[in-house]
Amino acid sequence: SAVISQKPSRDICQRGTSLTIQCQVDSQVTMMFWYRQQPGQSLTLIATANQGSEATYESGFVIDKFPISRPNLTFSTLTVSNMSPEDSSIYLCSVEATPYGYTFGSGTRLTVV
Amino acid sequence: GENVEQHPSTLSVQEGDSAVIKCTYSDSASNYFPWYKQELGKGPQLIIDIRSNVGEKKDQRIAVTLNKTAKHFSLHITETQPEDSAVYFCAASINTGGFKTIFGAGTRLFVKA
């Protein structure tokens, strides 16, 4: 299955600033997924990123807050904009695994102070 | 929409004992049920899965059972070892051409040596 490199692994950011998280996959994939995992909680899908089209956002998530880029079939970025302490979470990218399920990156642990 | 409930939220067992985690789902159209293990500081990793046309699947010390009528599925870990300590997530998916996956809230498993 695919191997995902995600960075940064962690960051501490000031409120009001933005952070861009990068995901690199070692093979070409059609869809990449971005998840948020709040402390002690489950995984919530933020958006699905297809190459060549705008990302599809889930209910409760908007492009202005979480802009996503997908410039090619192996790379995607998620930006957390105008951060507040409520944005402190683990952010994970993932791709569909073969034949089923998902492969996840190692996650970005974000703390907003 | 789909809802997945997972119990217990925390489970502590003695090394060598068995651990059982249970999940229920609401959408009878769900047809794919993966289980993920998340170790500290890492992304979730797929450990076993089951499709709706199968009632049970086993992989060494791990087994999963599915009761479609009752809409519940369970993870069984036998002969637990300290390295089994992690957070386990169940999930339910409807194969609609792209997997739409809903995750359970997670179970934190402690295996005491």
Side-chain angles (χ1 to χ4, degrees):
Chain A
S1 55
V3 175
I4 301 175
S5 299
Q6 183 174 343
K7 59 181 181 181
S9 58
R10 58 177 63 229
D11 207 341
I12 301 173
C13 301
Q14 295 290 322
R15 66 179 67 198
T17 63
S18 298
L19 176 71
T20 295
I21 302 167
Q22 300 180 3
C23 263
Q24 179 75 51
V25 189
D26 69 346
S27 59
Q28 294 184 338
V29 294
T30 304
M31 290 187 289
M32 293 181 72
F33 306 90
W34 288 97
Y35 282 87
R36 182 175 72 182
Q37 185 178 23
Q38 293 178 301
Q41 302 295 315
S42 188
L43 294 86
T44 302
L45 182 64
I46 297 171
T48 302
N50 291 321
Q51 194 270 333
S53 64
E54 282 203 1
T56 302
Y57 289 83
E58 298 298 308
S59 176
F61 298 97
V62 295
I63 188 171
D64 290 346
K65 177 66 176 178
F66 298 100
I68 289 172
S69 79
R70 185 79 203 276
N72 57 53
L73 290 172
T74 64
F75 187 79
S76 180
T77 68
L78 170 78
T79 298
V80 186
S81 303
N82 189 25
M83 290 184 285
S84 66
E86 292 71 37
D87 295 319
S88 297
S89 288
I90 298 172
Y91 292 86
L92 297 146
C93 63
S94 71
V95 301
E96 289 183 326
T98 302
Y100 304 113
Y102 293 102
T103 297
F104 286 88
S106 55
T108 297
R109 183 179 294 271
L110 170 62
T111 303
V112 184
V113 297
Chain B
E2 176 67 281
N3 182 51
V4 177
E5 295 191 357
Q6 182 173 347
H7 301 280
S9 57
T10 304
L11 179 60
S12 184
V13 300
Q14 204 67 37
E15 182 179 3
D17 288 349
S18 295
V20 180
I21 302 170
K22 299 181 179 181
C23 289
T24 61
Y25 62 100
S26 60
D27 193 334
S28 57
S30 291
N31 59 3
Y32 174 65
F33 306 92
W35 286 87
Y36 291 86
K37 175 184 181 181
Q38 185 176 28
E39 297 175 299
L40 193 64
K42 298 183 180 180
Q45 181 180 11
L46 179 67
I47 56 172
I48 195 168
D49 55 13
I50 191 167
R51 294 190 67 80
S52 60
N53 58 347
V54 175
E56 183 174 358
K57 183 177 179 180
K58 188 173 182 180
D59 183 3
Q60 299 182 334
R61 296 187 297 109
I62 295 174
V64 58
T65 59
L66 170 65
N67 183 327
K68 284 179 58 180
T69 303
K71 289 190 278 190
H72 65 70
F73 55 113
S74 301
L75 177 71
H76 304 252
I77 305 174
T78 59
E79 301 173 27
T80 54
Q81 301 167 3
E83 51 265 38
D84 294 329
S85 297
V87 179
Y88 292 82
F89 293 97
C90 64
S93 295
I94 301 171
N95 185 3
T96 60
F99 282 105
K100 183 76 171 179
T101 300
I102 304 298
F103 289 85
T107 296
R108 186 172 295 276
L109 174 63
F110 298 95
V111 180
K112 297 176 286 186

CSV table of all heavy atoms in Angstrom, one decimal, chain A residues 30-32 47-57 63 67-73 75-77:
chain,number,residue,atom,x,y,z
A,30,THR,N,-5.9,9.1,-6.9
A,30,THR,CA,-6.9,10.0,-7.4
A,30,THR,C,-7.4,10.9,-6.3
A,30,THR,O,-7.5,12.1,-6.5
A,30,THR,CB,-8.1,9.1,-7.9
A,30,THR,OG1,-7.6,8.2,-8.9
A,30,THR,CG2,-9.2,10.0,-8.5
A,31,MET,N,-7.7,10.3,-5.2
A,31,MET,CA,-8.3,11.1,-4.1
A,31,MET,C,-7.4,11.1,-2.9
A,31,MET,O,-6.8,10.1,-2.5
A,31,MET,CB,-9.7,10.6,-3.7
A,31,MET,CG,-10.8,10.8,-4.7
A,31,MET,SD,-12.4,10.3,-4.2
A,31,MET,CE,-12.2,8.5,-4.1
A,32,MET,N,-7.3,12.3,-2.2
A,32,MET,CA,-6.7,12.4,-0.9
A,32,MET,C,-7.7,13.0,0.0
A,32,MET,O,-8.5,13.8,-0.3
A,32,MET,CB,-5.4,13.2,-1.0
A,32,MET,CG,-4.3,12.6,-1.9
A,32,MET,SD,-2.8,13.6,-1.9
A,32,MET,CE,-2.1,13.4,-0.3
A,47,ALA,N,-12.4,17.2,4.3
A,47,ALA,CA,-12.6,17.4,2.8
A,47,ALA,C,-11.9,16.3,2.1
A,47,ALA,O,-11.0,15.6,2.5
A,47,ALA,CB,-12.1,18.8,2.4
A,48,THR,N,-12.3,16.1,0.8
A,48,THR,CA,-11.7,15.2,-0.1
A,48,THR,C,-11.1,16.1,-1.2
A,48,THR,O,-11.8,17.0,-1.8
A,48,THR,CB,-12.8,14.3,-0.7
A,48,THR,OG1,-13.4,13.6,0.3
A,48,THR,CG2,-12.2,13.3,-1.7
A,49,ALA,N,-9.9,15.8,-1.6
A,49,ALA,CA,-9.1,16.5,-2.6
A,49,ALA,C,-8.9,15.7,-3.8
A,49,ALA,O,-8.2,14.7,-3.7
A,49,ALA,CB,-7.8,17.0,-2.0
A,50,ASN,N,-9.4,16.1,-4.9
A,50,ASN,CA,-9.2,15.5,-6.2
A,50,ASN,C,-8.2,16.4,-7.0
A,50,ASN,O,-8.4,17.6,-7.0
A,50,ASN,CB,-10.5,15.3,-7.0
A,50,ASN,CG,-11.3,14.2,-6.3
A,50,ASN,OD1,-10.8,13.2,-5.8
A,50,ASN,ND2,-12.6,14.4,-6.3
A,51,GLN,N,-7.3,15.8,-7.7
A,51,GLN,CA,-6.4,16.5,-8.5
A,51,GLN,C,-7.2,17.2,-9.7
A,51,GLN,O,-7.9,16.5,-10.4
A,51,GLN,CB,-5.3,15.6,-9.1
A,51,GLN,CG,-4.1,16.4,-9.6
A,51,GLN,CD,-4.2,16.7,-11.1
A,51,GLN,OE1,-4.9,15.9,-11.8
A,51,GLN,NE2,-3.6,17.7,-11.6
A,52,GLY,N,-7.0,18.5,-9.9
A,52,GLY,CA,-7.6,19.2,-11.0
A,52,GLY,C,-8.9,19.7,-10.7
A,52,GLY,O,-9.5,20.3,-11.6
A,53,SER,N,-9.4,19.6,-9.5
A,53,SER,CA,-10.7,20.2,-9.2
A,53,SER,C,-10.7,20.7,-7.8
A,53,SER,O,-9.8,20.4,-7.0
A,53,SER,CB,-11.8,19.1,-9.4
A,53,SER,OG,-11.7,18.1,-8.5
A,54,GLU,N,-11.7,21.5,-7.4
A,54,GLU,CA,-11.8,22.0,-6.1
A,54,GLU,C,-12.1,20.9,-5.1
A,54,GLU,O,-12.8,19.9,-5.4
A,54,GLU,CB,-12.8,23.1,-6.0
A,54,GLU,CG,-12.4,24.4,-6.6
A,54,GLU,CD,-13.1,25.6,-6.0
A,54,GLU,OE1,-14.0,25.4,-5.2
A,54,GLU,OE2,-12.8,26.7,-6.4
A,55,ALA,N,-11.6,21.0,-3.9
A,55,ALA,CA,-11.9,20.1,-2.9
A,55,ALA,C,-13.4,20.1,-2.5
A,55,ALA,O,-14.0,21.1,-2.6
A,55,ALA,CB,-11.0,20.3,-1.7
A,56,THR,N,-13.8,18.9,-2.0
A,56,THR,CA,-15.2,18.8,-1.6
A,56,THR,C,-15.2,18.8,-0.1
A,56,THR,O,-14.6,17.9,0.5
A,56,THR,CB,-15.8,17.5,-2.1
A,56,THR,OG1,-15.8,17.5,-3.5
A,56,THR,CG2,-17.3,17.4,-1.6
A,57,TYR,N,-15.9,19.8,0.6
A,57,TYR,CA,-15.8,19.9,2.0
A,57,TYR,C,-17.1,19.3,2.7
A,57,TYR,O,-18.2,19.3,2.1
A,57,TYR,CB,-15.7,21.4,2.4
A,57,TYR,CG,-14.4,22.0,2.0
A,57,TYR,CD1,-14.1,22.4,0.7
A,57,TYR,CD2,-13.4,22.1,3.0
A,57,TYR,CE1,-12.9,23.0,0.4
A,57,TYR,CE2,-12.2,22.6,2.7
A,57,TYR,CZ,-11.9,23.1,1.4
A,57,TYR,OH,-10.7,23.6,1.1
A,63,ILE,N,-14.0,26.3,2.9
A,63,ILE,CA,-12.8,26.5,2.2
A,63,ILE,C,-12.0,27.7,2.7
A,63,ILE,O,-10.7,27.7,2.7
A,63,ILE,CB,-13.1,26.7,0.7
A,63,ILE,CG1,-11.8,26.7,-0.2
A,63,ILE,CG2,-13.9,27.9,0.4
A,63,ILE,CD1,-12.0,26.7,-1.6
A,67,PRO,N,-8.3,26.0,3.4
A,67,PRO,CA,-8.0,25.9,1.9
A,67,PRO,C,-7.1,24.7,1.7
A,67,PRO,O,-6.2,24.4,2.4
A,67,PRO,CB,-7.4,27.2,1.6
A,67,PRO,CG,-6.9,27.7,2.9
A,67,PRO,CD,-7.8,27.2,4.0
A,68,ILE,N,-7.4,24.0,0.6
A,68,ILE,CA,-6.7,22.8,0.2
A,68,ILE,C,-6.1,22.9,-1.2
A,68,ILE,O,-6.8,23.5,-2.1
A,68,ILE,CB,-7.6,21.5,0.2
A,68,ILE,CG1,-7.9,21.2,1.7
A,68,ILE,CG2,-7.0,20.4,-0.5
A,68,ILE,CD1,-9.0,20.1,1.8
A,69,SER,N,-4.9,22.5,-1.4
A,69,SER,CA,-4.4,22.5,-2.8
A,69,SER,C,-4.1,21.0,-3.1
A,69,SER,O,-3.8,20.2,-2.3
A,69,SER,CB,-3.1,23.3,-2.9
A,69,SER,OG,-2.0,22.6,-2.3
A,70,ARG,N,-4.2,20.7,-4.4
A,70,ARG,CA,-3.9,19.4,-4.9
A,70,ARG,C,-3.3,19.6,-6.3
A,70,ARG,O,-3.9,19.3,-7.4
A,70,ARG,CB,-5.2,18.6,-5.0
A,70,ARG,CG,-5.0,17.1,-5.4
A,70,ARG,CD,-4.5,16.3,-4.3
A,70,ARG,NE,-3.8,15.1,-4.8
A,70,ARG,CZ,-4.4,14.0,-5.1
A,70,ARG,NH1,-5.7,13.9,-5.1
A,70,ARG,NH2,-3.7,13.0,-5.6
A,71,PRO,N,-2.0,20.0,-6.4
A,71,PRO,CA,-1.4,20.3,-7.6
A,71,PRO,C,-1.1,19.1,-8.5
A,71,PRO,O,-0.9,19.3,-9.8
A,71,PRO,CB,-0.1,21.0,-7.2
A,71,PRO,CG,0.2,20.5,-5.9
A,71,PRO,CD,-1.1,20.2,-5.2
A,72,ASN,N,-0.9,17.9,-7.9
A,72,ASN,CA,-0.6,16.8,-8.8
A,72,ASN,C,-1.2,15.5,-8.0
A,72,ASN,O,-1.8,15.6,-7.0
A,72,ASN,CB,0.8,16.6,-9.1
A,72,ASN,CG,1.7,16.6,-7.8
A,72,ASN,OD1,1.5,15.8,-6.9
A,72,ASN,ND2,2.7,17.5,-7.7
A,73,LEU,N,-0.9,14.4,-8.6
A,73,LEU,CA,-1.5,13.1,-8.1
A,73,LEU,C,-0.8,12.5,-6.9
A,73,LEU,O,-1.1,11.5,-6.4
A,73,LEU,CB,-1.6,12.1,-9.2
A,73,LEU,CG,-2.6,12.4,-10.3
A,73,LEU,CD1,-2.4,11.4,-11.5
A,73,LEU,CD2,-4.0,12.4,-9.8
A,75,PHE,N,0.6,14.8,-4.2
A,75,PHE,CA,0.8,15.8,-3.2
A,75,PHE,C,-0.4,16.6,-2.9
A,75,PHE,O,-1.3,16.9,-3.8
A,75,PHE,CB,1.9,16.8,-3.7
A,75,PHE,CG,2.4,17.8,-2.7
A,75,PHE,CD1,3.3,17.4,-1.7
A,75,PHE,CD2,2.0,19.1,-2.8
A,75,PHE,CE1,3.7,18.4,-0.8
A,75,PHE,CE2,2.4,20.0,-1.9
A,75,PHE,CZ,3.3,19.7,-0.9
A,76,SER,N,-0.6,17.0,-1.7
A,76,SER,CA,-1.7,17.9,-1.3
A,76,SER,C,-1.3,18.7,0.0
A,76,SER,O,-0.4,18.3,0.7
A,76,SER,CB,-2.9,17.1,-0.9
A,76,SER,OG,-4.0,17.9,-0.5
A,77,THR,N,-1.9,19.9,0.1
A,77,THR,CA,-1.7,20.7,1.3
A,77,THR,C,-3.0,21.1,1.9
A,77,THR,O,-4.0,21.2,1.2
A,77,THR,CB,-0.8,21.9,1.1
A,77,THR,OG1,-1.6,22.8,0.2
A,77,THR,CG2,0.5,21.6,0.4
